[in-house]
Amino acid sequence: QKEVEQNSGPLSVPEGAIASLNCTYSDRGSQSFFWYRQYSGKSPELIMSIYSNGDKEDGRFTAQLNKASQYVSLLIRDSQPSDSATYLCAVSLNRDMRFGAGTRLTVKP
Amino acid sequence: EAGVTQFPSHSVIEKGQTVTLRCDPISGHDNLYWYRRVMGKEIKFLLHFVKESKQDESGMPNNRFLAERTGGTYSTLKVQPAELEDSGVYFCASSPVLDSPLHFGNGTRLTVT
């Protein structure tokens, strides 16, 4: 079992729709969870961090964490073409950071 | 505040040659990570320094890879001798404390021919 799993996609949504990205992780002891966005040819950049169960909202982005289910998600409301990128889920595992393979999102105008 | 810088941005070498990648973390960041991304695959953890000490090097693929962080400042990752499968983008990232978000460099794209 991979440490951090994501659907590789591609995920395609129309402009203005909600994009839903999912991630599961294997270690119940993980405490910190992050979503990064990576544009093609660029380095990953942090979008959201979440540390406790529930929802955390920041503008059009909402991160959701359920530690019992070992599940973290990212919702992007009112998706824009500029949101088209690969979204990486990262989990702090044994004090190190592990990444999923990323989900490629395309927002079509 | 200067970000994480990596050098070189691109490197093309022949199989069997040696390449050294450098990473300068954000000043004051004790934690320094090396990752590798092969096209279409996940960002794979290589190793993690806390200051000058290797916290975890379980991701290093084999003894052809050597990472150092003398003095706890910049880090180097040497590949010797390079093989075709070593091609990919090598990212360096740093953070001030454990379990905090990582700041990434722009990566070094390594091509072994």
Side-chain angles (χ1 to χ4, degrees):
Chain A
Q1 182 186 10
K2 290 184 179 178
E3 293 166 329
V4 182
E5 291 208 55
Q6 296 180 251
N7 290 329
S8 61
L11 174 65
S12 181
V13 301
E15 184 174 358
I18 295 176
S20 178
L21 306 164
N22 305 315
C23 172
T24 57
Y25 58 95
S26 60
D27 191 330
R28 284 193 173 277
S30 300
Q31 294 294 323
S32 306
F33 308 86
F34 308 91
W35 283 98
Y36 289 80
R37 176 177 61 201
Q38 186 177 23
Y39 292 112
S40 180
K42 303 292 184 182
S43 58
E45 54 180 344
L46 180 72
I47 299 176
M48 296 277 290
S49 58
I50 186 166
Y51 303 94
S52 55
N53 281 328
D55 295 0
K56 179 181 178 183
E57 186 174 318
D58 183 1
R60 296 187 294 111
F61 299 95
T62 298
Q64 299 174 316
L65 175 62
N66 184 326
K67 290 185 179 180
S69 299
Q70 294 173 241
Y71 173 90
V72 58
S73 67
L74 179 70
L75 299 178
I76 306 174
R77 289 182 300 281
D78 187 24
S79 295
Q80 301 297 309
S82 59
D83 295 327
S84 298
T86 296
Y87 289 80
L88 301 162
C89 173
V91 176
S92 180
L93 183 68
N94 296 325
R95 318 305 292 279
D96 292 327
M97 199 78 69
R98 298 291 194 268
F99 286 80
T103 298
R104 188 155 51 92
L105 171 67
T106 301
V107 181
K108 296 185 175 180
Chain B
E1 176 185 77
V4 178
T5 57
Q6 291 186 246
F7 182 83
S9 58
H10 294 83
S11 180
V12 181
I13 61 173
E14 293 182 352
K15 176 181 173 181
Q17 289 185 321
T18 297
V19 62
T20 300
L21 313 181
R22 173 170 170 145
C23 169
D24 286 74
I26 293 173
S27 178
H29 282 198
D30 287 343
N31 296 277
L32 187 150
Y33 302 79
W34 283 99
Y35 291 89
R36 176 174 67 183
R37 182 155 199 166
V38 175
M39 187 176 294
K41 301 209 181 264
E42 75 271 21
I43 293 180
K44 186 177 182 296
F45 169 81
L46 297 178
L47 88 160
H48 169 205
F49 283 99
V50 177
K51 296 185 180 179
E52 68 275 10
S53 299
K54 292 177 184 175
Q55 172 82 4
D56 182 354
E57 54 182 332
S58 61
M60 296 285 266
N62 51 59
N63 59 9
R64 294 186 296 103
F65 288 73
L66 175 64
E68 295 180 324
R69 193 183 182 195
T70 306
T73 54
Y74 71 91
S75 175
T76 58
L77 179 64
K78 180 190 288 187
V79 185
Q80 179 183 30
E83 298 288 346
L84 299 178
E85 64 264 26
D86 300 333
S87 296
V89 180
Y90 289 76
F91 287 105
C92 175
S94 71
S95 68
V97 296
L98 292 172
D99 297 333
S100 63
L102 302 185
H103 300 257
F104 279 84
N106 287 330
T108 294
R109 181 175 296 278
L110 175 64
T111 303
V112 182
T113 62

